[in-house]
Amino acid sequence: MISVENLTQDVSDDEDIYRNTTGTLLMHLKRSGIRDVEVIAEQMDALRHRQSREGIYSFDAFSCRGSDAASPVATSLEEAPRDCSIWSTNLYLGLNRHPKVIASAVEAVRQMGTGCGTSAISGGMNILHRKIEATLQRWFNKEAVMLFPTGFTANLGTLAALCQEGDCVLIDEESHASIRDGIRQSPARRWVTFQHNDIEDLARKLGEAQQTCRGKTIVIVESAYSMSGDICPLAELVQLKQRYNFLLFVDEAHAFGIYGDGGRGLCQQAGVTEQVDFIASTFSKAAASLGGFVAMSRRYASYLQWSANAYAFQACFTPADAAAVLAALEIIETEPEIGRELHEKNRYMRAQLQKAGFDLRNSQTPIVPIYIPDTRKLLKTCFELYKNGVFSVPVAHPMVAEHDGRIRFIVNARHSYQQIDQTVALLAELAEKHALFAPS
């Protein structure tokens, strides 16, 4: 077992602050047999503040003009803001700056005030929420849509109530924390993980699990994955559903608004919307607001209204948020050129990165991962990007697999081609400086 004294020495070492994130330190401490929260918290805080003093703790950074494709960014109030191109936000279409969205939110505040005051079942909903529900019922051809205060709680609340003791729950190994937390809070409590986007592995595990399953079978996937930027084989998944008769839950958070006819997502694009039992997403990404939803049959909605605590005991998202969502949905449906611009810039950036020698693996979406498995190099690269006016954050274990760290570059329709070229050129320069490419 590693002693606390040695760990303290490690945290204070000049080189070690470049080898660990607070997340990797947490895993390191637990694997070393240390379970005392006081000790763990002290060590993580020491590393965080040391990295903050060195300027490489990017998770406290904030923009000074709100989220956009470009903004002054600072890491503390004492630091002078640095002009940066921003690559860390999921505002894919840049609608948070669209005049119609802003005007709608402002008008909603004038007419309805700032907050809703209570949950949906206690009268917190207003006519704007109902219009969102009606719009999404039409988009997905589902009998019911339930709105939640966030996309996270849409997954958490629905799955915590849907998964019951004796159920067989299978999830993709890259599934979001909101999915895992929802199952943990449910009577089922456990899940079976299948290899990422591997239909054959899922089929094997379905066959094994259903031999002992005492309840229903639920398969949970994301249509587009946030850490790797790749896409679920939804058509193959639905074919498998015909053999194994399971409920299918698809999180469209990173596809809603930017894929499919009128932004209806990858389920619609794959032609499988009718076969998907639950379609969930968020309004915080393409729709540039706040809130989440799950589209489903009416009978499940009737059950979830009274059994999903995240619905029954959370206040509704505000009138301004709801008005922004409605305006964004209208723009997504009627101005497809914004989505086309996003995808053109995504293709352009990918082509430039590949030309520069970067391996983007199977990623396709506007989430473009640059893989840097060495944590020291990952932190140094991220820090030097920021110093040179390019901002994103490092993604390391436990958010991704160990030694599979990366920096995500999330393309926004508002990014300019000049910003893309400058970012790719800087990445190429740092790749050579830090030997980021493995020897061929």
Side-chain angles (χ1 to χ4, degrees):
M1 181 185 296
I2 297 176
S3 70
V4 174
E5 289 77 14
N6 286 340
L7 286 167
T8 305
Q9 180 64 38
D10 287 345
V11 168
S12 65
D13 182 81
D14 284 341
E15 281 301 298
D16 194 70
I17 64 168
Y18 287 101
R19 291 197 183 99
N20 286 308
T21 65
T22 46
T24 55
L25 177 61
L26 172 63
M27 300 300 293
H28 180 52
L29 290 165
K30 287 186 174 180
R31 286 176 180 174
S32 301
I34 296 171
R35 293 289 185 268
D36 189 318
V37 172
E38 295 294 329
V39 173
I40 293 172
E42 182 180 349
Q43 297 303 310
M44 292 178 69
D45 190 58
L47 176 61
R48 170 183 172 176
H49 282 281
R50 185 69 191 278
Q51 289 181 334
S52 294
R53 287 194 298 271
E54 296 295 323
I56 61 171
Y57 188 83
S58 61
F59 304 103
D60 284 339
F62 55 92
S63 64
C64 302
R65 284 204 301 261
S67 297
D68 201 359
S71 174
V73 173
T75 57
S76 71
L77 289 174
E78 291 75 29
E79 179 194 66
R82 187 186 305 272
D83 287 333
C84 290
S85 58
I86 310 294
W87 298 92
S88 59
T89 69
N90 296 299
L91 295 162
Y92 294 113
L93 301 174
L95 297 185
N96 62 311
R97 297 287 184 176
H98 197 290
K100 290 181 183 176
V101 174
I102 293 172
S104 295
V106 170
E107 184 58 27
V109 171
R110 287 199 183 101
Q111 290 192 13
M112 297 187 172
T114 56
C116 293
T118 190
S119 66
I121 63 172
S122 297
M125 296 191 80
N126 59 52
I127 190 171
L128 301 176
H129 295 106
R130 291 301 188 197
K131 287 181 178 180
I132 294 170
E133 290 177 338
T135 299
L136 296 179
Q137 285 172 322
R138 173 173 60 83
W139 276 30
F140 298 112
N141 194 29
K142 297 292 185 187
E143 292 178 328
V145 169
M146 286 178 62
L147 302 183
F148 288 79
T150 65
F152 192 104
T153 53
N155 283 347
L156 182 139
T158 300
L159 294 173
L162 182 65
C163 302
Q164 295 295 307
E165 186 176 358
D167 287 350
C168 174
V169 184
L170 297 97
I171 69 171
D172 188 286
E173 66 183 357
E174 287 199 9
S175 292
H176 193 264
S178 59
I179 292 170
R180 295 168 184 265
D181 285 354
I183 302 167
R184 283 193 190 98
Q185 291 188 19
S186 76
R189 295 188 181 181
R190 297 180 181 177
W191 61 81
V192 174
T193 302
F194 60 91
Q195 294 176 21
H196 178 54
N197 275 348
D198 190 330
I199 296 297
E200 291 183 3
D201 188 51
L202 173 58
R204 283 193 297 271
K205 289 176 177 174
L206 276 167
E208 294 167 1
Q210 288 191 340
Q211 291 178 11
T212 57
C213 184
R214 294 181 287 109
K216 59 187 178 294
T217 302
I218 309 168
V219 173
I220 305 166
V221 298
E222 297 173 43
S223 61
Y225 286 88
S226 61
M227 290 299 166
S228 53
D230 55 3
I231 289 174
C232 178
L234 291 165
E236 296 174 53
L237 188 57
V238 165
Q239 289 177 358
L240 197 65
K241 186 176 189 263
Q242 295 168 0
R243 287 170 50 196
Y244 288 97
N245 189 32
F246 52 78
L247 289 175
L248 179 56
F249 184 107
V250 178
D251 180 351
E252 290 255 44
H254 293 275
F256 174 68
I258 64 173
Y259 286 101
D261 293 340
R264 285 159 173 76
L266 283 166
C267 290
Q268 192 275 340
Q269 182 169 300
V272 300
T273 301
E274 296 298 322
Q275 290 76 41
V276 177
D277 301 285
F278 300 88
I279 295 177
S281 192
T282 178
F283 300 127
S284 65
K285 300 182 184 353
S289 184
L290 189 67
F293 71 87
V294 183
M296 69 200 91
S297 68
R298 185 174 294 110
R299 67 192 180 100
Y300 282 116
S302 297
Y303 164 72
L304 289 170
Q305 278 186 325
W306 296 98
S307 58
N309 286 349
Y311 180 85
F313 296 101
Q314 277 196 106
C316 298
F317 54 89
T318 72
D321 293 320
V325 169
L326 279 172
L329 294 180
E330 181 181 352
I331 293 164
I332 289 167
E333 191 168 29
T334 60
E335 300 182 31
E337 62 274 11
I338 300 176
R340 286 195 292 269
E341 183 178 6
L342 168 67
H343 292 298
E344 286 168 7
K345 289 176 178 176
N346 179 36
R347 284 189 291 269
Y348 178 80
M349 185 169 191
R350 289 176 172 281
Q352 298 304 106
L353 285 165
Q354 288 169 332
K355 191 184 300 182
F358 289 93
D359 178 9
L360 307 181
R361 299 190 188 175
N362 296 319
S363 64
Q364 303 173 55
T365 73
I367 296 171
V368 185
I370 301 297
Y371 293 91
I372 307 175
D374 184 309
T375 303
R376 180 180 181 276
K377 291 181 179 181
L378 175 66
L379 292 178
K380 276 186 171 291
T381 300
C382 218
F383 176 45
E384 292 185 40
L385 284 167
Y386 172 60
K387 284 200 301 184
N388 288 277
V390 172
F391 179 78
S392 192
V393 295
V395 181
H397 190 66
M399 289 185 284
V400 293
E402 203 164 7
H403 310 302
D404 205 25
R406 67 204 69 174
I407 304 172
R408 293 184 307 164
F409 290 82
I410 304 172
V411 183
N412 184 316
R414 289 175 59 89
H415 280 124
S416 68
Y417 287 100
Q418 181 182 18
Q419 287 174 323
I420 293 173
D421 288 340
Q422 290 171 342
T423 298
V424 171
L426 180 56
L427 277 167
E429 179 183 324
L430 294 175
E432 183 175 353
K433 176 180 178 180
H434 296 299
L436 300 185
F437 298 141
S440 55

